[in-house]
Amino acid sequence: MAERAERILKNIGLRGLKNAVKGNDYRREASISYGILVGGYILLQLLTAAGLISHNLQGQFVPICVYISLAVSLNLVVGISGELSLGHAGFMAVGAFGGVLMSRILGQSMSFEPAIVIISMIFGAIVASIAGFIIGIPILGLRGDYLAIVTLAFGEIIRNLMNVMYFGFVDGKLKFAFNHTIEGIEDTDRIITGAIGATGTKTMSNFTWGLLLCLFTVFIVLNLKNSKQGRAIMSIRDNRIAGESIGLDVRKYKLMAFVVSAALAGMAGCLFGLNYSTLVPVKFNFNTSVLVLVFVVLGGVGNIWGGIIAAALLTVLPETFRQFADYRMLTYAIVLILVMIATYNPSIKSRLNAFLGKIRPKKNKGSSKAKRKKSGKEAE
Amino acid sequence: MFIPEKDKGKTPILEVKNLGIDFGGLTAVDNFNLTLGRTEIGGLIGPNGAGKTTIFNMLTKVYEPTRGEIFFDGKSTKGMSTVDINKAGMARTFQNIRLFDKLTVEENIKVALHHTTNYSLIDGMLHTPKYRHEEFRIRKEAMKYLKIFGMTKTAEYRAGSLPYGAQRRLEIMRALATKPKLLLLDEPAAGMNPSETSELMDTIREIRDRFQIAVFLIEHDMSLVMGICEGIVVLNYGRVIAKGWPEDIQSNPKVIEAYLGKSRGKMEEEEEKEKADIEKALRKGRLESAASGKPDRKEGE
């Protein structure tokens, strides 16, 4: 038996293995991701303490964390499940307004802030996952571009619903109305006022909460990736028919990825909502969805720590370009184009790899070769 | 087919009656009958486009048959989906390899062990002790399959980057890991050299003996089919043209005709007949055109 196994190995097993690529190293991926997050946090805290960071940029810390966690959660749908979703801001909105609402309700009887933040975030995640579930059931039969278009539409529907929702306290009781103001309400008791959004929110977020959110999101997504459910999701992405042939329920696992992603987006949205005393629904429009998708694509689809870096840089970059005022968006766009060309153009990429190969010790020599070979095969 | 002695008296694992499928107006497969014993190795052969893979697709419910019935393990598979079929105990490989390319070899097998892995989504997201325990167990089990096929060293490589022969093996392993009662192999030896093919033959036999399952395979490599199959069905243009033991099939004139074309004498005979027919038609046409007074040339224009 063992003898035969060896013969087989000689025959076919290892002959071609010099071109084979090693698979995903989950431990390495996790340590890089956590390292970037914690390292970035410590660095920024030190720089802030030294007074080297502008007040403007300090105000961006929480949004950066929120965008990082949005990028990581969207990666679950785009990278791991392989479906294009353009409605991520919708789930963020549900989480944001749900969370703000919860924080106000809790604020009436509680004064311990961390508990309020945690409960609000969990509530935001729950309502967003419910929204994700309701939307996911009818649309996950669709594939590719069609799914992208429908998620886009649903994202807009959610935002427009937020535009006509009214929440507030009347005599200490929570009241809800559609499309008209609640009668007998005082200004300070309004929570959500249609298109004006959530007002009078007590801001409870800070950079540490942001870090915890990011760590939690990365923890969940990476763990999920390396579990039986994650493997099922990824195998359906790689080959749907083969997935069915080994007994995987395609819709169930697509829905699972979608709902978990929505819940994490809701959690991030909640922290975002708690960061501002006034929050308008317009903030969660199509542009935000696309922005998060840009983070994911730029960081490398399916690459968690790439998405973290992309989200952080692309949130900071427009701020640093503020001095160029008029050329700010132009520079931003050019940077995007250049990065995409450098990372996704096969000829430039191979040159870049060859260049990096010279600098680095010969470790991944086979990988670029095999990758190029594979892309050639796909082109055929 | 002819159920081997050892399987007699038990319910056949697969019983197909009058199976047929139409695509639009085209009948791809018609009147297909088959009985497969519980530990039999059956072969399905035929020229390209004969409908072999279509039969596999009907058995695994990728296509719903237009006519006929399939009994798997004594139960009708009517209304079952591909997923149900696999859960019932039928696993297959594909003619054009379908692996989970971006997952590693080990993960490919772990996915196939999905239904025997016992932990919830929460366990998976939080990596609880239950998760660790189960993952440890299925890792060991996946390694067991890799060992049978002599591929332990490939465990952490991406499936899509493996050499061709290894990919074929992995696909069989993945199908086996779902613990089937019947294994369908669609051209398992395609693209393999003779020594690889003979290894594969040993492996298939060993799988059957070790796991006590039935194997039904499509193959063009006659040395493999004749070497390991206990019963063979020959298909041409969607219809069964021969059925029997390997020796009978080899000498069956219909099979030889389907594969190699007609024999020389027969071909000459038919050619002459055809020539005579054409001449006859031409003469008739000339006579008719002369009668109607039209010049010959016009017909050609």
Side-chain angles (χ1 to χ4, degrees):
Chain A
M1 181 67 226
E3 208 179 284
R4 225 190 80 224
E6 251 169 52
R7 209 164 64 228
I8 294 171
L9 267 181
K10 249 188 207 153
N11 238 336
I12 57 147
L14 288 175
R15 193 177 56 206
L17 273 189
K18 58 180 185 291
N19 279 336
V21 183
K22 289 242 171 149
N24 199 359
D25 186 343
Y26 293 104
R27 268 201 201 142
R28 184 168 163 265
E29 194 180 16
S31 48
I32 292 177
S33 304
Y34 295 134
I36 291 171
L37 289 175
V38 176
Y41 175 79
I42 293 170
L43 184 73
L44 286 176
Q45 289 289 37
L46 287 177
L47 289 177
T48 313
L52 290 170
I53 289 181
S54 70
H55 192 69
N56 237 333
L57 199 58
Q58 279 181 38
Q60 290 288 310
F61 283 171
V62 173
I64 288 172
C65 291
V66 168
Y67 283 125
I68 286 175
S69 103
L70 282 172
V72 172
S73 61
L74 185 63
N75 225 329
L76 187 58
V77 173
V78 177
I80 297 174
S81 175
E83 298 288 0
L84 199 55
S85 165
L86 290 173
H88 215 51
F91 302 121
M92 186 190 174
V94 173
F97 288 108
V100 166
L101 194 66
M102 198 60 185
S103 78
R104 285 290 291 273
I105 294 167
L106 291 172
Q108 289 203 315
S109 52
M110 284 167 83
S111 55
F112 185 54
E113 272 191 16
I116 296 179
V117 174
I118 287 175
I119 295 172
S120 303
M121 285 220 277
I122 291 171
F123 183 72
I126 290 170
V127 283
S129 64
I130 292 170
F133 187 73
I134 293 169
I135 292 169
I137 283 179
I139 68 171
L140 282 172
L142 298 171
R143 291 177 210 177
D145 306 346
Y146 304 101
L147 184 73
I149 292 166
V150 177
T151 49
L152 187 163
F154 269 111
E156 290 297 290
I157 289 173
I158 291 175
R159 181 174 65 82
N160 281 302
L161 268 179
M162 296 297 163
N163 257 340
V164 294
M165 275 192 186
Y166 294 80
F167 281 97
F169 292 119
V170 178
D171 300 330
K173 278 180 191 162
L174 187 69
K175 294 272 178 183
F176 165 72
F178 261 129
N179 219 9
H180 56 81
T181 47
I182 300 160
E183 279 171 36
I185 195 166
E186 285 170 40
D187 271 358
T188 49
D189 287 339
R190 291 169 194 270
I191 304 175
I192 297 168
T193 321
I196 299 166
T199 47
T201 314
K202 192 176 173 212
T203 57
M204 292 179 225
S205 64
N206 58 40
F207 194 22
T208 310
W209 279 116
L211 175 77
L212 290 177
L213 173 76
C214 289
L215 288 176
F216 181 74
T217 311
V218 171
F219 177 75
I220 293 290
V221 171
L222 284 181
N223 277 358
L224 185 62
K225 206 173 164 186
N226 187 18
S227 72
K228 84 170 200 182
Q229 287 84 5
R231 282 194 296 268
I233 291 166
M234 288 189 285
S235 34
I236 289 164
R237 169 199 68 191
D238 280 359
N239 205 316
R240 191 190 173 99
I241 293 172
E244 277 179 347
S245 88
I246 58 165
L248 299 177
D249 187 340
V250 171
R251 292 195 110 186
K252 180 181 163 191
Y253 287 103
K254 290 239 177 252
L255 190 63
M256 191 182 276
F258 200 69
V259 170
V260 172
S261 163
L264 292 172
M267 208 172 238
C270 174
L271 194 72
F272 193 78
L274 292 178
N275 193 41
Y276 301 101
S277 57
T278 311
L279 186 69
V280 287
V282 180
K283 186 77 201 143
F284 305 102
N285 60 9
F286 176 55
N287 286 343
T288 311
S289 293
V290 172
L291 193 69
V292 179
L293 188 64
V294 167
F295 300 153
V296 171
V297 175
L298 213 63
V301 173
N303 182 344
I304 302 295
W305 56 266
I308 295 174
I309 294 175
L313 282 184
L314 290 187
T315 319
V316 175
L317 220 56
E319 284 307 310
T320 43
F321 287 148
R322 201 173 274 278
Q323 40 195 318
F324 302 117
D326 293 347
Y327 304 106
R328 195 169 130 200
M329 286 322 282
L330 184 68
T331 331
Y332 183 73
I334 290 173
V335 168
L336 276 190
I337 293 169
L338 288 179
V339 172
M340 290 315 288
I341 288 176
T343 47
Y344 284 93
N345 186 317
S347 61
I348 294 180
K349 200 178 175 184
S350 64
R351 257 175 237 173
L352 200 74
N353 275 344
F355 176 69
L356 287 176
K358 271 181 203 164
I359 303 172
R360 253 186 266 156
K362 287 170 192 172
K363 195 175 154 196
N364 289 328
K365 213 185 162 195
S367 70
S368 64
K369 213 193 250 171
K371 254 182 217 159
R372 242 178 293 152
K373 214 181 221 172
K374 214 185 149 209
S375 65
K377 205 163 60 179
E378 275 165 7
E380 276 171 28
Chain B
M1 260 177 273
F2 316 103
I3 295 184
E5 280 302 320
K6 56 186 189 301
D7 294 334
K8 271 185 183 150
K10 296 175 197 159
T11 10
I13 191 73
L14 188 68
E15 211 176 348
V16 179
K17 286 177 184 161
N18 299 320
L19 195 67
I21 188 168
D22 300 339
F23 293 114
L26 180 83
T27 303
V29 174
D30 202 20
N31 209 10
F32 182 79
N33 291 291
L34 177 81
T35 315
L36 199 67
R38 293 201 86 89
T39 57
E40 187 179 353
I41 299 180
L44 178 60
I45 62 171
N48 286 329
K52 303 181 296 292
T53 301
T54 309
I55 287 177
F56 268 30
N57 282 339
M58 281 193 284
L59 292 178
T60 55
K61 288 298 168 92
V62 175
Y63 299 142
E64 190 67 39
T66 319
R67 293 173 293 280
E69 270 183 295
I70 303 164
F71 293 93
F72 179 65
D73 208 2
K75 282 177 221 123
S76 172
T77 64
K78 204 164 200 169
M80 285 168 105
S81 69
T82 311
V83 174
D84 299 333
I85 289 282
N86 180 263
K87 284 181 184 165
M90 201 191 298
R92 71 173 290 187
T93 67
F94 297 87
Q95 191 176 352
N96 45 342
I97 303 173
R98 289 179 183 274
L99 288 172
F100 306 128
D101 287 348
K102 286 179 192 136
L103 302 188
T104 63
V105 170
E106 188 189 320
E107 282 171 325
N108 265 271
I109 300 171
K110 280 184 184 170
V111 177
L113 293 167
H114 187 88
H115 293 291
T116 53
T117 318
N118 189 18
Y119 60 79
S120 69
L121 175 64
I122 304 291
D123 291 320
M125 287 197 296
L126 301 177
H127 283 199
T128 55
K130 195 177 176 191
Y131 159 90
R132 260 178 241 140
H133 176 259
E134 283 287 293
E135 283 288 311
F136 182 72
R137 186 180 63 77
I138 64 161
R139 192 189 145 80
K140 252 182 24 198
E141 202 173 336
M143 284 302 172
K144 193 184 84 193
Y145 285 101
L146 283 170
K147 207 169 175 190
I148 297 173
F149 282 75
M151 275 178 49
T152 18
K153 282 187 188 168
T154 64
E156 51 188 38
Y157 288 95
R158 281 197 186 183
S161 70
L162 289 182
Y164 195 77
Q167 289 198 7
R168 282 248 172 251
R169 273 163 195 281
L170 177 57
E171 217 190 6
I172 299 174
M173 262 186 275
R174 188 183 64 191
L176 262 183
T178 63
K179 304 197 169 53
K181 294 173 199 151
L182 168 64
L183 184 62
L184 304 175
L185 303 175
D186 199 341
E187 297 198 21
M192 286 188 177
N193 64 33
S195 92
E196 285 171 355
T197 305
S198 89
E199 295 284 0
L200 183 71
M201 278 163 70
D202 291 346
T203 313
I204 292 174
R205 241 187 248 118
E206 199 190 308
I207 289 169
R208 193 268 308 267
D209 296 341
R210 192 175 172 138
F211 297 96
Q212 286 295 308
I213 58 173
V215 179
F216 189 39
L217 56 91
I218 295 176
E219 190 47 70
H220 280 302
D221 189 313
M222 285 304 142
S223 66
L224 185 138
V225 175
M226 298 303 166
I228 62 170
C229 289
E230 289 151 342
I232 294 173
V233 185
V234 190
L235 207 66
N236 198 17
Y237 294 112
R239 282 178 176 77
V240 176
I241 55 168
K243 224 179 200 185
W245 309 104
E247 306 84 58
D248 300 339
I249 297 292
Q250 263 168 324
S251 52
N252 189 318
K254 273 190 187 164
V255 177
I256 296 168
E257 196 181 302
Y259 266 92
L260 303 172
K262 286 162 186 139
S263 68
R264 190 142 191 188
K266 215 172 176 184
M267 226 154 75
E268 277 168 5
E269 212 174 82
E270 282 191 5
E271 246 171 50
E272 250 155 51
K273 204 179 153 207
E274 216 171 305
K275 240 187 225 166
D277 282 349
I278 294 170
E279 264 172 31
K280 214 167 152 187
L282 280 174
R283 220 175 294 138
K284 203 177 163 195
R286 222 172 278 148
L287 282 177
E288 272 174 8
S289 63
S292 63
K294 275 182 212 155
D296 269 14
R297 245 184 302 145
K298 202 158 190 181
E299 272 178 35
E301 281 169 15

